[in-house]
């Protein structure tokens, strides 16, 4: 029981209960505006009947069609602690996948901290698998390398042979990913 | 960043053949990109010696100069190139970057206007011109530039840029009539033309068409468009067409269509709350109109319409049954819808609600299904009013029956066996708090409740042993609730032990759950209320609040840092916020342009409104003002003179840049969780009063700041360039500004007095009170106002001279004396122990600290006035002495004002010394306090561990008080030094 709608600038003033989570990054305004300007359909927020923001997903479409790399990307997905265990993240992911399907993407991908077991398991349940490990993808606020990421993928219907998700055995560095 | 200009311009203009100039410029670009501005300048100079006409090198040099702080040089160099009206890409783009760094985006428009004139067929320059206009919001010129672009290169996006610029003219028009009769109809016709010619290509174009029709109120046309072939282009957003249709049905009050569409969408997704609301809304509208379907075939274009309560009841009951049947996780929507329907039927006095069942049973059923979700409380809270008060206890008990706790142990409590039961038990606790059942307990009852909740908290920790430090503990909420009950006890009984224990329990909670933001926020608030700012700095930084959060929750820091005498921390927290606000203007302009590029037209007004909202932020105006005041208090007449400080800040007393009538309160005042009953919750009225209070306080502060600026310029020695006459005018203009500001301050203080009379109490977890009340009651505002008033009188004396001014002189001397009395009173209000042990209890009086800060601020103001007085009296005295020498007359007595001034500076010295002694005394008694000697845990048993956390919290408070006193003492000492220069 949720209202799902497009994320707007005014929501930035109301998302503290979601963003005060230690694993949810609060980005600079340009970052949000860039997504809103370029991929507004991919930025969806869930609102509770009382008006509280429950969670949001932020994503984009990118990659070369010719090389069969055109895909949906999950940039951020976060649900406030009090609205967890309702299947909201799954619902938001489903929407992002549907949008990516419509755009003719081959797959959807995302990066997640290897230590974030809760998230990794959730994505696995939603049909995602680890495509590769990206070494020192995350950095701490002082700029020091902090942690590795899994690049997880799920094939969309356009990728009939599910070629896009065949795992790469060797870890890569952040500068090697596109 | 600069280098890519070179690369792209190469590729665009000349393919792969490299221009020799590019090769020459490359090292300069590289130096600039690497931050080596000096080398860039040198390299540019070298290049310019050989190739005088390589304009771009000049611009790059200018960028280097700009970045090394030589703005004037940079500007004149740039203008040299600009007047030549360059048309090479490198120069144009480098100038664009330079102007942007100079915050002169309007100059970019001039640049491309010239370029377009010289190269009228360049798509690139036309498009740059459009974007340059967009950056400064020149909508009319954008419209023309867009059309010119389209005529040069007939691509659809260019045409629609022009259309959108018309819409922006409509939105920004002062006169709505102009928007409705000129701009929007013109925009509409432009789109219609493309529609007729079959030239509509992109989804963005349809979106824009819809936007125009909507703004014109042409909902029927908008609806037809969305339903028609153009609507088929609306594919990016999920349910885009349905959502737009729904919006139009509501605007047009087409309730049958609204109802049928909601019904359809709910069948598809029975969890979409907004459609339940539109379903019920439309249903009742239809009932009110006794609407009946026109024929048996089809009710309306959207399908079958429901018009009776019976149908709605059946619909909701069916949805619930569907959920009951499901194997997978049930959705909350249908069950909540059932409660919502009861609520609405009851509002209408409709007896049919009984068919849905008893709300109490329904809520129990809801709890049975969703009680193990943390959101259960948030959901049920909305409908608790459906229960009559006499059912509350019964409800709580029946809920309790649904929570299977283990066997009761020695302590009298039974505990949950797993996290699901734990969450249910928690929910019952939360509900009983929301129902007010915790608040009605007496002190003993509340203490028992605390013991029970603590036991549950500690027991529940075992379920989270494997939790990562980024995860919350399952039982954290118990801990937070314990803190809330402690706060209840503290505010009701005034027993400070409750507060100390509260701090202890929260610190303990944080040790098990180091990322719990709620613990941090509440600790932060409590430390602030206790007047201890030091621990707050780390707590806030561990929240990792950034960017927009500086606006929404930054107030938690900035409200207290300065007012508690932690000036260094205050300065830092103002800077965090200011950095964010200042980048806003530039950042948003960039994305407005992006929105044009990507055709996200509906986002353009949204971005502009967002930018305005930040610019008009209350918090922005507050930190802007406080930052400057703080700089004056801590630096003016210490590191540099008041006048220099004021000039360095670019402060102009006549200018008021605060948007008083459009102030936006962006504070997140519900960031702290609360399960208080409705009558104790934050209301809209609270919000209004808090904003009113903060605004008046801001007005006092901003007027004080402008008055200080005015005072600084009053003391400004006449510059030799100006003729005598203008000087005179200048001075009188300055004093009239001072006069005007003083009367404004006077009026504001009257309003302030009215506001503080109301003694508004906000919920504890709501907005903090402003400093207004304590500022007024301390007497500091009035003392500062009288000091500033005195400067006016002195100014009068300056023009009159010492002869024939005995009345004026007496008046001034009286003011001197009165200021001493006022300061003395203010200082006496600071006396007392900020922290003391009484009967093995630790007591605080944080208000003493706040008053001391007001005292110090006031001393600063008075001393600036004293320094101005000296500057007025000194020349009068020396001309008197000259006269005396001439007449060899040594018998005449010293004029009253001169002796009065000497006496005054002596008394000021005395007061500052007293204050310093007081601070020293406080420091000494604080240091002598041996908190370890306190016996904790007397009465209501705290465990050894809890006592440890409480002690740690006490230590933090003690250290913080000492820190505040040290900073205040340091500042007072520096002020005392400045007193010496007043002697003559």
């Amino acid at each position: 029981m949720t209202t799902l709608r497009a994320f707007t600038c005014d929501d930035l003033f109301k998302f503290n209960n979601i963003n005060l989570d230690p694993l949810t990054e609060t980005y600079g305004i340009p970052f949000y505006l860039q997504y809103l300007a370029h991929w507004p359909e991919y930025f969806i927020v869930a609102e509770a009947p009382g008006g509280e923001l429950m969670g949001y997903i932020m994503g984009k479409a990118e990659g070369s069609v010719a090389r069969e790399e055109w895909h949906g990307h999950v940039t951020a997905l976060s649900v406030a602690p009090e609205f967890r265990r309702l299947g909201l993240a799954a619902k938001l992911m489903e929407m992002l996948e549907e949008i990516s399907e419509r755009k003719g993407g081959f797959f959807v991908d995302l990066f997640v901290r290897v230590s974030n077991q809760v998230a990794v398991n959730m994505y696995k349940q939603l049909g995602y698998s680890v495509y590769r490990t990206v070494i020192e993808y995350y950095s701490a606020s002082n700029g020091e390398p902090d942690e590795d990421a899994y690049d997880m993928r799920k094939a969309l219907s356009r990728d009939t042979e599910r070629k896009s998700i065949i795992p790469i055995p060797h870890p890569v560095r952040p500068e090697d990913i596109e | 960043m600069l280098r890519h200009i070179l690369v792209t311009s190469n590729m665009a203009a000349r393919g792969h053949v490299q221009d020799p100039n590019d090769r020459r410029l490359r090292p300069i670009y590289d130096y600039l990109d690497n931050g080596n501005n000096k080398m860039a300048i040198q390299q540019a100079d070298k290049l310019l010696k050989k190739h005088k006409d390589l304009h771009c090198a000049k611009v790059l040099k200018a960028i280097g100069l700009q970045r090394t702080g030589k703005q004037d040089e940079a500007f004149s160099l740039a203008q040299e190139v600009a007047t030549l009206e360059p048309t090479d890409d490198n120069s144009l783009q480098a100038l664009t970057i330079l102007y942007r760094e100079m915050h002169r985006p309007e100059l970019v428009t001039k640049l491309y206007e010239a370029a377009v004139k010289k190269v009228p067929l360049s798509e690139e320059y036309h498009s740059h011109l459009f974007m340059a206009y967009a950056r400064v919001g020149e909508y009319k010129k954008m419209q023309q530039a867009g059309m010119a672009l389209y005529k040069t290169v007939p691509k659809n996006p260019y045409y629609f840029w022009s259309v959108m610029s018309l819409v922006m003219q409509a939105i920004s028009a002062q006169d709505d009539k102009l928007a409705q009769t000129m701009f929007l109809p013109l925009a509409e016709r432009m789109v219609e033309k493309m529609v007729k010619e079959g030239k509509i290509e992109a989804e963005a174009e349809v979106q824009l068409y819809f936007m125009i029709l909507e703004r014109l109120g042409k909902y029927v046309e908008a609806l037809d468009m969305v339903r028609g072939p153009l609507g088929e282009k609306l594919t990016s957003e999920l349910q885009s067409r349905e959502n737009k249709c729904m919006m139009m049905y509501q605007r047009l009050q087409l309730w049958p269509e609204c109802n049928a569409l909601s019904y359809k969408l709910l069948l598809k997704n029975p969890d979409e709350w907004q459609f339940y609301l539109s379903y019920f809304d439309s249903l009742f509208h239809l009932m009110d109109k006794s609407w009946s379907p026109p024929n048996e075939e089809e009710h309306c274009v959207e399908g079958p319409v429901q018009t009776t309560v019976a149908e709605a009841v059946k619909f909701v009951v069916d949805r619930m049954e569907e959920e009951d049947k499901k194997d997978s996780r049930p959705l909350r929507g249908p069950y909540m819808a059932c409660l919502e329907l009861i609520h609405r039927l009851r509002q209408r006095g409709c007896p049919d609600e009984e068919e849905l069942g008893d709300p109490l049973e329904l809520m129990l059923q809801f709890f049975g299904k969703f009680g193990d979700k943390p959101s259960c409380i948030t959901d049920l809270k909305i409908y608790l009013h459906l229960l009559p008060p006499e059912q509350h206890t019964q409800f709580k008990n029946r809920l309790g029956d649904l929570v299977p706790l283990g066997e009761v142990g020695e302590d009298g409590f039974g505990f949950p066996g797993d996290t699901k039961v734990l969450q249910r038990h928690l929910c019952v606790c939360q509900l009983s708090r929301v129902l007010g059942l915790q608040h009605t307990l007496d002190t003993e009852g509340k203490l028992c409740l605390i013991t029970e909740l603590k036991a549950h908290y500690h027991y529940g920790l075992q379920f989270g042993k494997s939790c990562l430090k980024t995860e919350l503990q399952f039982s954290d909420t118990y801990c937070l609730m314990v803190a809330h009950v402690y706060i209840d006890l503290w505010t009701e009984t005034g027993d400070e032990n409750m507060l100390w224990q509260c701090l202890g329990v929260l610190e303990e909670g944080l040790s098990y759950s180091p990322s719990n933001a709620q613990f941090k926020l509440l600790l932060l608030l409590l430390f602030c209320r206790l007047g201890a700012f030091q621990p707050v700095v780390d707590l806030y930084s561990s929240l990792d609040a950034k960017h927009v959060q500086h606006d929404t929750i930054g107030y938690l820091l900035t409200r207290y840092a300065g007012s508690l005498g932690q000036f260094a921390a205050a300065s830092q927290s103002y800077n965090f916020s200011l950095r964010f606000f200042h980048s806003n203007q530039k950042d948003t302009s960039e994305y407005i342009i992006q929105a044009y590029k990507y055709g996200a037209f509906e986002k353009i007004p949204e971005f502009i409104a967002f930018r305005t909202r930040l610019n008009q932020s209350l918090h922005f105006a507050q930190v802007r003002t406080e930052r400057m005041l703080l700089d004056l208090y801590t630096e003016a007449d210490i590191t540099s003179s008041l006048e220099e400080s004021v000039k360095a800040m670019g402060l102009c007393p006549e200018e008021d840049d605060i948007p008083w009538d459009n102030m936006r309160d962006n504070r997140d005042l519900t960031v702290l969780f609360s399960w208080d009953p409705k009558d104790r919750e934050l209301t809209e009225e609270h919000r209004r009063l808090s904003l009113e209070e903060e605004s008046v306080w801001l007005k006092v502060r901003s007027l004080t700041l402008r008055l200080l600026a005015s005072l600084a310029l009053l003391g400004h020695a006449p510059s030799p360039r100006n003729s005598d006459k203008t000087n005179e005018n200048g001075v009188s203009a300055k004093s009239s500004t001072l006069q005007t500001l003083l009367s404004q301050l006077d009026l504001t203080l009257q309003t302030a007095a009215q506001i503080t009379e109301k003694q508004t109490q906000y919920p504890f977890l709501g907005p903090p009170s402003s400093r207004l009340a304590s500022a007024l009651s301390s007497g500091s505002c009035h003392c500062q106002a009288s000091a500033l008033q005195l400067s006016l009188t002195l100014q009068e004396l300056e023009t009159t001279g010492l002869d024939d001014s005995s009345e004026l002189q007496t008046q001034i001397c009286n003011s001197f004396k009165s200021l001493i009395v006022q300061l003395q009173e203010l200082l006496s209000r600071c006396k007392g122990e900020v922290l003391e042990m009484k009967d093995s209890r630790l007591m605080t009086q944080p208000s003493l600290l706040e008053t001391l800060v007001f005292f110090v601020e006031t001393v600063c103001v008075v001393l600036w006035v004293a320094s101005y007085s000296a500057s007025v009296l000194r020349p009068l005295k020396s001309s008197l002495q000259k006269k005396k020498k001439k007449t060899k007359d040594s018998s005449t007595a010293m004029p009253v004002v001169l002796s009065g001034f000497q006496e005054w500076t002596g008394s000021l010295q005395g007061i500052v010394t007293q204050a310093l002694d007081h601070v020293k005394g406080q420091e000494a008694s604080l240091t002598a306090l041996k908190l370890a000697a306190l016996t904790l845990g007397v009465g209501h048993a705290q465990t050894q561990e809890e006592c440890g956390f409480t002690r740690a919290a006490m230590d933090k408070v003690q250290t913080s008080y000492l820190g505040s006193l040290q900073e205040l003492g340091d500042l007072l000492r520096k002020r005392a030094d400045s007193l010496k220069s007043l002697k003559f």
Side-chain angles (χ1 to χ4, degrees), chain B residues 636-653:
Chain B
D637 273 356
I638 293 174
T639 52
S640 60
S641 73
L642 179 64
E643 192 190 330
E644 282 161 1
S645 305
V646 163
K647 282 195 174 153
M649 288 176 195
L651 250 179
C652 172

mmCIF file of all heavy atoms in Angstrom, chain B residues 636-653:
data_model
loop_
_atom_site.group_PDB
_atom_site.id
_atom_site.type_symbol
_atom_site.label_atom_id
_atom_site.label_comp_id
_atom_site.label_asym_id
_atom_site.label_seq_id
_atom_site.Cartn_x
_atom_site.Cartn_y
_atom_site.Cartn_z
ATOM 1 N N ALA B 636 36.577 41.541 14.376
ATOM 2 C CA ALA B 636 36.624 42.979 14.138
ATOM 3 C C ALA B 636 37.220 43.719 15.332
ATOM 4 O O ALA B 636 36.808 43.503 16.481
ATOM 5 C CB ALA B 636 35.227 43.506 13.847
ATOM 6 N N ASP B 637 38.193 44.587 15.063
ATOM 7 C CA ASP B 637 38.944 45.327 16.074
ATOM 8 C C ASP B 637 39.877 44.411 16.851
ATOM 9 O O ASP B 637 40.433 44.810 17.871
ATOM 10 C CB ASP B 637 38.017 46.077 17.058
ATOM 11 C CG ASP B 637 37.662 47.454 16.500
ATOM 12 O OD1 ASP B 637 38.188 47.809 15.421
ATOM 13 O OD2 ASP B 637 36.877 48.164 17.134
ATOM 14 N N ILE B 638 40.030 43.176 16.365
ATOM 15 C CA ILE B 638 41.042 42.311 16.973
ATOM 16 C C ILE B 638 42.119 42.053 15.934
ATOM 17 O O ILE B 638 43.254 42.462 16.094
ATOM 18 C CB ILE B 638 40.429 40.985 17.480
ATOM 19 C CG1 ILE B 638 39.485 41.277 18.645
ATOM 20 C CG2 ILE B 638 41.529 40.014 17.904
ATOM 21 C CD1 ILE B 638 38.715 40.093 19.131
ATOM 22 N N THR B 639 41.724 41.391 14.828
ATOM 23 C CA THR B 639 42.718 41.180 13.774
ATOM 24 C C THR B 639 42.719 42.322 12.753
ATOM 25 O O THR B 639 43.716 42.612 12.134
ATOM 26 C CB THR B 639 42.493 39.844 13.059
ATOM 27 O OG1 THR B 639 41.120 39.812 12.648
ATOM 28 C CG2 THR B 639 42.771 38.673 13.963
ATOM 29 N N SER B 640 41.538 42.919 12.572
ATOM 30 C CA SER B 640 41.470 44.082 11.680
ATOM 31 C C SER B 640 40.358 44.988 12.204
ATOM 32 O O SER B 640 39.562 44.560 13.027
ATOM 33 C CB SER B 640 41.153 43.645 10.260
ATOM 34 O OG SER B 640 39.909 42.970 10.243
ATOM 35 N N SER B 641 40.323 46.227 11.710
ATOM 36 C CA SER B 641 39.338 47.143 12.269
ATOM 37 C C SER B 641 37.926 46.744 11.835
ATOM 38 O O SER B 641 37.752 45.987 10.888
ATOM 39 C CB SER B 641 39.621 48.560 11.785
ATOM 40 O OG SER B 641 39.255 48.662 10.424
ATOM 41 N N LEU B 642 36.941 47.264 12.534
ATOM 42 C CA LEU B 642 35.551 46.983 12.202
ATOM 43 C C LEU B 642 35.283 47.390 10.759
ATOM 44 O O LEU B 642 34.650 46.661 10.004
ATOM 45 C CB LEU B 642 34.630 47.745 13.160
ATOM 46 C CG LEU B 642 33.130 47.580 12.925
ATOM 47 C CD1 LEU B 642 32.685 46.151 13.135
ATOM 48 C CD2 LEU B 642 32.320 48.508 13.843
ATOM 49 N N GLU B 643 35.823 48.553 10.404
ATOM 50 C CA GLU B 643 35.587 49.052 9.058
ATOM 51 C C GLU B 643 36.157 48.115 7.994
ATOM 52 O O GLU B 643 35.489 47.773 7.024
ATOM 53 C CB GLU B 643 36.206 50.441 8.914
ATOM 54 C CG GLU B 643 35.770 51.133 7.661
ATOM 55 C CD GLU B 643 36.594 52.394 7.422
ATOM 56 O OE1 GLU B 643 37.036 53.010 8.399
ATOM 57 O OE2 GLU B 643 36.790 52.724 6.258
ATOM 58 N N GLU B 644 37.393 47.679 8.225
ATOM 59 C CA GLU B 644 38.010 46.747 7.277
ATOM 60 C C GLU B 644 37.218 45.453 7.186
ATOM 61 O O GLU B 644 36.997 44.921 6.101
ATOM 62 C CB GLU B 644 39.450 46.430 7.706
ATOM 63 C CG GLU B 644 40.436 47.527 7.355
ATOM 64 C CD GLU B 644 41.727 47.430 8.168
ATOM 65 O OE1 GLU B 644 41.861 46.491 8.990
ATOM 66 O OE2 GLU B 644 42.567 48.294 7.985
ATOM 67 N N SER B 645 36.788 44.947 8.345
ATOM 68 C CA SER B 645 36.018 43.704 8.346
ATOM 69 C C SER B 645 34.745 43.865 7.536
ATOM 70 O O SER B 645 34.396 43.015 6.731
ATOM 71 C CB SER B 645 35.650 43.303 9.767
ATOM 72 O OG SER B 645 36.786 43.207 10.563
ATOM 73 N N VAL B 646 34.051 44.970 7.768
ATOM 74 C CA VAL B 646 32.788 45.209 7.077
ATOM 75 C C VAL B 646 33.025 45.290 5.573
ATOM 76 O O VAL B 646 32.293 44.721 4.775
ATOM 77 C CB VAL B 646 32.138 46.503 7.611
ATOM 78 C CG1 VAL B 646 31.066 47.005 6.658
ATOM 79 C CG2 VAL B 646 31.538 46.247 8.988
ATOM 80 N N LYS B 647 34.101 45.973 5.202
ATOM 81 C CA LYS B 647 34.399 46.104 3.776
ATOM 82 C C LYS B 647 34.763 44.769 3.152
ATOM 83 O O LYS B 647 34.351 44.459 2.045
ATOM 84 C CB LYS B 647 35.522 47.123 3.577
ATOM 85 C CG LYS B 647 34.983 48.522 3.705
ATOM 86 C CD LYS B 647 35.953 49.533 3.168
ATOM 87 C CE LYS B 647 35.297 50.915 3.186
ATOM 88 N NZ LYS B 647 36.297 51.971 3.298
ATOM 89 N N ALA B 648 35.562 43.992 3.908
ATOM 90 C CA ALA B 648 35.971 42.689 3.374
ATOM 91 C C ALA B 648 34.756 41.803 3.123
ATOM 92 O O ALA B 648 34.748 40.974 2.230
ATOM 93 C CB ALA B 648 36.933 42.021 4.336
ATOM 94 N N MET B 649 33.724 41.981 3.918
ATOM 95 C CA MET B 649 32.523 41.164 3.743
ATOM 96 C C MET B 649 31.627 41.698 2.641
ATOM 97 O O MET B 649 30.649 41.066 2.272
ATOM 98 C CB MET B 649 31.705 41.161 5.040
ATOM 99 C CG MET B 649 32.314 40.360 6.130
ATOM 100 S SD MET B 649 31.289 40.564 7.594
ATOM 101 C CE MET B 649 32.408 39.943 8.807
ATOM 102 N N GLY B 650 31.956 42.870 2.159
ATOM 103 C CA GLY B 650 31.101 43.476 1.141
ATOM 104 C C GLY B 650 29.748 43.858 1.715
ATOM 105 O O GLY B 650 28.737 43.883 1.014
ATOM 106 N N LEU B 651 29.745 44.130 3.003
ATOM 107 C CA LEU B 651 28.484 44.453 3.674
ATOM 108 C C LEU B 651 28.047 45.873 3.333
ATOM 109 O O LEU B 651 28.828 46.815 3.425
ATOM 110 C CB LEU B 651 28.699 44.397 5.176
ATOM 111 C CG LEU B 651 28.059 43.265 5.943
ATOM 112 C CD1 LEU B 651 28.422 43.377 7.394
ATOM 113 C CD2 LEU B 651 26.568 43.265 5.741
ATOM 114 N N CYS B 652 26.808 46.015 2.948
ATOM 115 C CA CYS B 652 26.286 47.343 2.682
ATOM 116 C C CYS B 652 25.039 47.541 3.533
ATOM 117 O O CYS B 652 24.088 46.785 3.426
ATOM 118 C CB CYS B 652 25.961 47.450 1.197
ATOM 119 S SG CYS B 652 25.117 48.962 0.804
ATOM 120 N N PRO B 653 25.061 48.546 4.415
ATOM 121 C CA PRO B 653 23.946 48.698 5.370
ATOM 122 C C PRO B 653 22.596 48.922 4.687
ATOM 123 O O PRO B 653 21.557 48.549 5.224
ATOM 124 C CB PRO B 653 24.350 49.907 6.204
ATOM 125 C CG PRO B 653 25.513 50.538 5.552
ATOM 126 C CD PRO B 653 26.124 49.526 4.641
#
